[in-house]
Amino acid sequence: MQTRTLETGVGLFILAGMLALLLLALRVSGLTVSTNGDTYKLYAYFDNIAGLTVRAKVTMAGVAIGKVTAIDLDRNSYTGRVTMELEKRVDNLPTDSTAAILTAGLLGEKYVGISVGGEEEVLKNGDSIQDTQSALVLEDLIGKFLMNSVNKDKEE
Amino acid sequence: MHKRSLLEQVGLLGRAAIDVVEAMGRSALFLLHAMFGRGGAGSGFQLLVKQTHSIGVLSLPIIVVSGLFIGMVLALQGYNILVSYGSEQAVGQLVALTLLRELGPVVTGLLFAGRAGSALTAEIGNMKSTEQLSSLETIGVDPLKYIIAPRLWAGFLSMPLLAAIFNVVGIWGAAMVAVDWLGVYEGSFWASMQSSVDLHDDVINGAIKSIVFAFVVTWIAVFQGYDCEPTSEGIGRATTRTVVYASLAVLGLDFILTALMFGDN
């Protein structure tokens, strides 16, 4: 009887440990068993991706509908190519939809926001979004502002 | 008191160095023999279950309570700092990364050295002083296989599981403080955690750390017990050495492992 309780205790301990590892993997690291059938791929070309990272979310009207899966440089156009995986439930995006790189809050992470267009044809797996708006780069803005004020001083 | 000449002092230094190297060699041979030596113990599984109970299951209370309070205090401190930047939802990310990468494996290692390591050393040292180990040898049972091996394997098995439980309880405690008490929005608490924690980089690297710590702490504990002077004073000294060496080894190895795992980003 003594051995029985001992064995049960050890068994429960090992189960608790395994369960903890599973919880860490699923709940904390957000690992989801994704099946390829539920998503489709779209590309978007940006002049400047400025801090967008892989795993960043793709939203439409503030609702997350997919994620960024790869970022690389397009050799021909010298622009950043962002590969996005969108959920199949939003497979009715018009071809003239636009994609913009936005920032969550003042210090938050970068994400891609999609705004719908008015065309009747829809984007299919492997298509790319033509109309894009690059990330706002603060350094550029400040640079332009400074140049403007220098030019104004010269004119006066 | 007799004053030692310089040459004698140099000699003493050499003697100490040789002693250290010799002890390390002995402990390595001891480990190899216990883990991979010939002849399996007859009822090995029963011995392993018994040791896993006394090393793993009985360490659960201290691990759970420490994990809970460390998670809670991390959430409280993190919230107080982050709220002044208006990004208090990032407390989930802060707590999860701190626990998974550092505090989970390290604090579990230190507590394990104090709770299970010292008990192992004292138990084995006591067996040695009452000549139980040599009597086993007399009746033809290898004490390394019968006494040491199950304790080593039980330690290796228990500590990574204890570290995982520590992390989960800590994150749960943090969620309780941040979400229920301080009013962080639950959705963004978990979302900020999930978007920043990576399964391979954080969860698995943390688990690797705890496996390495388990190995080192258990090894030091059983070797100190087996190698101690068989007197009550000797056992006391060996137990102290176990806690000191194991804690220092955990902290030192943690730096090396962190540099290897997270140093390049």
Side-chain angles (χ1 to χ4, degrees):
Chain A
M1 207 54 211
Q2 181 66 27
T3 339
R4 187 75 178 274
T5 35
L6 210 79
E7 281 176 353
T8 320
V10 172
L12 283 176
F13 166 62
I14 289 176
L15 271 182
M18 296 289 176
L19 192 74
L21 281 174
L22 199 73
L23 266 175
L24 287 181
L26 295 180
R27 180 85 208 236
V28 175
S29 74
L31 179 78
T32 43
V33 192
S34 64
T35 48
N36 289 329
D38 297 328
T39 58
Y40 69 105
K41 223 175 238 181
L42 283 185
Y43 299 101
Y45 294 84
F46 293 96
D47 290 336
N48 192 341
I49 61 142
L52 186 75
T53 53
V54 176
R55 286 168 65 97
K57 62 184 174 183
V58 178
T59 66
M60 173 178 257
V63 181
I65 55 167
K67 62 179 179 189
V68 173
T69 52
I71 293 172
D72 40 5
L73 187 73
D74 185 54
R75 271 177 61 89
N76 300 319
S77 60
Y78 304 107
T79 50
R81 188 181 73 161
V82 173
T83 312
M84 301 175 286
E85 266 186 15
L86 303 189
E87 291 168 18
K88 263 280 163 62
R89 63 190 166 98
V90 273
D91 58 354
N92 55 346
L93 292 178
T95 46
D96 61 342
S97 299
T98 61
I101 297 179
L102 306 168
T103 311
L106 200 57
L107 302 164
E109 54 190 347
K110 296 267 195 297
Y111 65 97
V112 178
I114 294 181
S115 330
V116 278
E119 288 278 336
E120 292 200 351
E121 277 184 48
V122 294
L123 289 164
K124 290 185 291 293
N125 186 27
D127 282 352
S128 48
I129 295 179
Q130 303 297 336
D131 195 1
T132 60
Q133 186 192 331
S134 293
L136 186 74
V137 182
L138 276 178
E139 289 90 324
D140 282 358
L141 266 187
I142 295 168
K144 276 179 194 158
F145 176 74
L146 284 178
M147 281 307 284
N148 271 343
S149 52
V150 168
N151 289 342
K152 263 184 195 163
D153 284 351
K154 276 185 186 166
E155 282 166 18
E156 280 169 9
Chain B
M1 202 175 140
H2 160 71
K3 196 165 185 296
R4 290 195 184 96
S5 72
L6 188 66
L7 202 63
E8 272 178 326
Q9 284 181 356
V10 173
L12 279 176
L13 181 71
R15 172 78 167 278
I18 291 171
D19 281 351
V20 169
V21 174
E22 197 193 329
M24 283 169 82
R26 256 184 300 137
S27 69
L29 284 176
F30 160 84
L31 180 75
L32 287 176
H33 188 137
M35 287 177 72
F36 307 112
R38 80 226 132 42
S43 53
F45 182 72
Q46 278 303 321
L47 291 172
L48 183 66
V49 167
K50 192 159 173 278
Q51 290 311 317
T52 311
H53 182 262
S54 68
I55 292 174
V57 179
L58 297 184
S59 300
L60 265 179
I62 189 173
I63 293 293
V64 170
V65 173
S66 321
L68 184 70
F69 283 122
I70 286 179
M72 284 165 81
V73 88
L74 274 178
L76 207 56
Q77 291 282 16
Y79 178 85
N80 278 335
I81 293 166
L82 288 169
V83 77
S84 53
Y85 298 99
S87 50
E88 64 271 17
Q89 75 283 350
V91 75
Q93 166 184 358
L94 176 126
V95 169
L97 288 180
T98 316
L99 279 175
L100 288 171
R101 288 182 174 181
E102 285 299 330
L103 290 185
V106 172
V107 176
T108 311
L110 296 177
L111 293 174
F112 189 77
R115 161 67 183 73
S118 57
L120 276 178
T121 307
E123 191 189 8
I124 296 171
N126 199 30
M127 284 180 185
K128 191 179 180 185
S129 72
T130 51
E131 297 189 346
Q132 293 178 43
L133 296 183
S134 45
S135 342
L136 275 177
E137 265 177 276
T138 319
I139 60 166
V141 176
D142 184 356
L144 284 181
K145 282 269 118 191
Y146 190 75
I147 302 290
I148 306 295
R151 285 169 172 77
L152 275 174
W153 288 112
F156 300 165
L157 178 74
S158 302
M159 217 196 94
L161 296 178
L162 288 173
I165 293 171
F166 182 95
N167 286 334
V168 168
V169 173
I171 288 170
W172 180 71
M176 192 167 70
V177 168
V179 175
D180 299 340
W181 298 358
L182 299 171
V184 175
Y185 175 58
E186 190 177 5
S188 37
F189 178 86
W190 292 107
S192 78
M193 192 184 289
Q194 291 184 351
S195 64
S196 60
V197 174
D198 186 75
L199 179 71
H200 176 262
D201 283 352
D202 304 315
V203 179
I204 294 183
N205 275 350
I208 291 173
K209 270 189 181 179
S210 67
I211 291 169
V212 174
F213 296 162
F215 185 81
V216 174
V217 171
T218 322
W219 179 16
I220 291 176
V222 290
F223 179 70
Q224 290 297 341
Y226 192 75
D227 202 47
C228 76
E229 211 180 302
T231 59
S232 43
E233 200 190 350
I235 295 170
R237 273 205 302 269
T239 313
T240 314
R241 271 204 304 271
T242 293
V243 178
V244 173
Y245 291 174
S247 308
L248 292 180
V250 164
L251 295 172
L253 276 173
D254 180 51
F255 174 71
I256 295 170
L257 288 174
T258 306
L260 286 176
M261 287 167 174
F262 307 108
D264 54 347
N265 48 357

